[in-house]
Amino acid sequence: MEKQARPLISVRGLTKAYGTFRVLHGIDLDIAEGEVVCVIGPSGSGKSTLIRCINHLEAFAEDSRITVDGIRVEPGPDLAKVRAEVGMVFQSFNLFPHMTVLKNVMLAPMRVRKIPAPEAERRARQLLARVGISEQAEKYPGQLSGGQQQRVAIARALAMEPKVLLFDEPTSALDPEMVGEVLDVMRTLAGTGVTMVIVTHEMGFARQVADRVIFMDGGRLVEVGEPSEIFDAPREERTRGFLRAVLNH
Amino acid sequence: MNLINTFLNVQVLADSLPQLMWGLVVTLKIGVTSILFGLVGGLVLAVGRLYAPFFVRILIRGYVDICRSVPLLVLLIVVYYALPFVGIRLSPFVSAVTALSLVSAAYTSEIFRAGIEAIPNGQFEASAALGLSNRHTMVDVILPQAIRIVIPPLTNNCINVMKDTALASVVAMPDLLKQATQAQALSANPTPLIGAALIYIALLWPMTAVVARLEKHLSRGTR
């Protein structure tokens, strides 16, 4: 296959500070279409902030440059366009509690893509079947388990047919017995060629699913490589230290 | 002396009842109109206070603070007796509705603002991440949740507006209270006043019950 001329996501010199405290120090990163990238690292290393910058949920320094499919990510009229192409799954699900599961999935396609209700419903039901919760379509999010809610959130993000899906620690708020069902859905997605950027603490999952693993620490990309390189033969001492700490407990 | 005959004279009450009913209609007209204007105005002010440009936010804040600190009776008298000096001559009905709506909108905006601010940030983020416009975020996601939160305080405000309509009697509005005081003067007996009080209670007591049921209904199936 011919190598992509232009990366789907391009990050150049991404800098972000809260007041005088810098959380991201000039990050450069390209992500190709169809690529699955897992971002690992200690808490406070800036990994969530990094992916939240990609759809501008976090504002960043003006001389930084992020483009998604060629469109620059910046405040203004094009931002909603970028966001419609970038799906996001949150740690705390953030489903809309006053709507049924089905309506949660239907809302954005109807409002943003102007898809008629019957068509939106048909596609929402397909997606809910895909994440294994067809039977819960008429329920409210509050009636579902955490794992089920997160799968709805994935279906809701997929409903916009985004070019890329961002996952911000999608299993960190789940009870341990529910982590597997969410990771299974994500694993299946990764197999279908969806571009995914995943911030995670699930090292086994990252090793198995990622095309590339990024280790972040102190607001910098410390090491980037294939899973086997990062997990089996890390070059940086900080990577080794982190992996020792998370894998031996 | 017969207390019943003085305060709850059946004959006087029967004679004044048609007049009191006319007054009730006027009271309802003033109250409902003011409540509706207050709700719409309050919602606009609340959204403006939260999301408008800085300068507009300051103006709204000033408006709200002033309306909350001016006595309603004073505002009403200013509108009715002072504005004609600058050529603005409002009917008693319009004066009453204007004063009540202005103040109600200020209180309502504070209630809505608190309701919107009570919605977790994740709801705004999820909406933004889906590409929803600000308008759709408000209409489809935030306000439906905020309204459930604000129904109890909003009801209290509506009941207050209904009660405050009695102030309209000072600008010669033939509302329930005005009719009652006139009937009292005519019959030289306070029974019409007691009748008016009972009608206010009969009107507003069920309102609280209706809203309690509505609240229960709205909260079904959430969280």
Side-chain angles (χ1 to χ4, degrees), chain B residues 20-167:
Chain B
L20 292 182
M21 283 300 143
W22 280 118
L24 176 61
V25 170
V26 172
T27 288
L28 285 173
K29 274 187 190 161
I30 300 172
V32 171
T33 314
S34 306
I35 285 170
L36 290 179
F37 278 124
L39 284 175
V40 174
L43 185 55
V44 171
L45 289 175
V47 174
R49 170 101 185 249
L50 288 169
Y51 306 113
F54 180 73
F55 180 67
V56 179
R57 286 197 309 238
I58 295 290
L59 280 183
I60 292 174
R61 185 170 173 184
Y63 169 84
V64 169
D65 287 354
I66 289 170
C67 281
R68 295 209 302 170
S69 26
V70 70
L72 182 54
L73 183 55
V74 173
L75 182 64
L76 180 58
I77 287 177
V78 166
V79 168
Y80 187 67
Y81 292 103
L83 287 188
F85 287 91
V86 291
I88 303 172
R89 212 169 296 275
L90 301 177
S91 71
F93 179 80
V94 175
S95 300
V97 166
T98 302
L100 281 165
S101 302
L102 287 175
V103 171
S104 175
Y107 279 101
T108 306
S109 81
E110 288 295 280
I111 294 169
F112 273 124
R113 186 169 69 97
I116 292 169
E117 283 178 338
I119 304 300
N121 199 33
Q123 295 289 307
F124 290 90
E125 289 192 344
S127 307
L130 286 166
L132 290 174
S133 64
N134 288 339
R135 188 171 67 88
H136 281 134
T137 300
M138 269 296 138
V139 171
D140 291 316
V141 179
I142 305 304
L143 291 182
Q145 297 183 63
I147 281 170
R148 283 160 224 253
I149 300 173
V150 300
I151 276 186
L154 222 44
T155 312
N156 284 331
N157 187 59
C158 290
I159 291 171
N160 280 336
V161 172
M162 253 325 165
K163 290 197 285 194
D164 286 344
T165 57
L167 291 170

Side-chain angles (χ1 to χ4, degrees), chain B residues 165-219:
Chain B
T165 57
L167 291 170
S169 57
V170 304
V171 292
M173 195 67 205
D175 74 323
L176 180 53
L177 178 61
K178 187 77 179 170
Q179 298 284 16
T181 52
Q182 277 174 355
Q184 177 223 2
L186 201 70
S187 60
N189 182 293
T191 299
L193 286 176
I194 304 297
L198 291 175
I199 290 173
Y200 278 116
I201 292 168
L203 175 69
L204 294 175
W205 197 338
M207 228 168 104
T208 57
V210 164
V211 169
R213 276 177 59 181
L214 194 69
E215 218 187 319
K216 214 171 170 183
H217 173 76
L218 279 176
S219 68

Side-chain angles (χ1 to χ4, degrees), chain A residues 52 55 57 80 83-84 86 88 90 94-99 107-108 111-112 114 140 142 156-157 160, chain B residues 121-133 135-136 140-142 144-145 148 220-223:
Chain A
R52 287 165 57 85
N55 61 356
L57 284 185
R83 284 170 167 172
V86 180
M88 187 160 207
F90 299 87
N94 295 346
L95 294 177
F96 305 135
H98 60 297
M99 293 180 193
L107 179 69
R111 294 290 186 264
V112 182
K114 311 289 179 204
Y140 286 88
R156 180 176 70 175
M160 288 296 286
Chain B
N121 199 33
Q123 295 289 307
F124 290 90
E125 289 192 344
S127 307
L130 286 166
L132 290 174
S133 64
R135 188 171 67 88
H136 281 134
D140 291 316
V141 179
I142 305 304
Q145 297 183 63
R148 283 160 224 253
R220 214 164 41 187
T222 52
R223 286 181 212 273

Side-chain angles (χ1 to χ4, degrees), chain A residues 44-198:
Chain A
S45 60
K47 33 187 212 309
S48 284
T49 310
L50 167 63
I51 70 163
R52 287 165 57 85
C53 285
I54 294 176
N55 61 356
H56 209 276
L57 284 185
E58 299 280 352
F60 46 83
E62 278 175 20
D63 53 354
S64 313
R65 185 181 172 88
I66 299 179
T67 60
V68 174
D69 201 25
I71 306 174
R72 183 159 185 182
V73 179
E74 59 191 347
D78 280 349
L79 185 55
K81 248 184 266 174
V82 171
R83 284 170 167 172
E85 302 301 336
V86 180
M88 187 160 207
V89 175
F90 299 87
Q91 181 176 352
S92 50
F93 329 136
N94 295 346
L95 294 177
F96 305 135
H98 60 297
M99 293 180 193
T100 62
V101 162
L102 186 66
K103 291 270 158 57
N104 263 277
V105 181
M106 287 167 62
L107 179 69
M110 285 171 62
R111 294 290 186 264
V112 182
R113 300 257 192 255
K114 311 289 179 204
I115 292 170
E119 171 68 6
E121 177 173 345
R122 195 182 60 77
R123 285 165 50 174
R125 289 193 189 277
Q126 274 177 2
L127 285 167
L128 289 173
R130 198 164 146 195
V131 299
I133 29 183
S134 315
E135 327 78 57
Q136 323 283 356
E138 318 301 333
K139 289 193 180 163
Y140 286 88
Q143 298 169 287
L144 269 51
S145 74
Q148 290 172 325
Q149 290 193 50
Q150 194 60 298
R151 285 187 283 152
V152 174
I154 293 173
R156 180 176 70 175
L158 284 173
M160 288 296 286
E161 303 184 327
K163 296 203 167 75
V164 54
L165 269 180
L166 309 175
F167 292 83
D168 188 3
E169 303 196 19
T171 57
S172 297
L174 295 175
D175 291 334
E177 74 271 22
M178 292 167 187
V179 170
E181 63 191 61
V182 171
L183 292 182
D184 283 344
V185 168
M186 291 169 63
R187 198 172 286 124
T188 312
L189 272 180
T192 59
V194 181
T195 312
M196 296 161 77
V197 185
I198 306 163

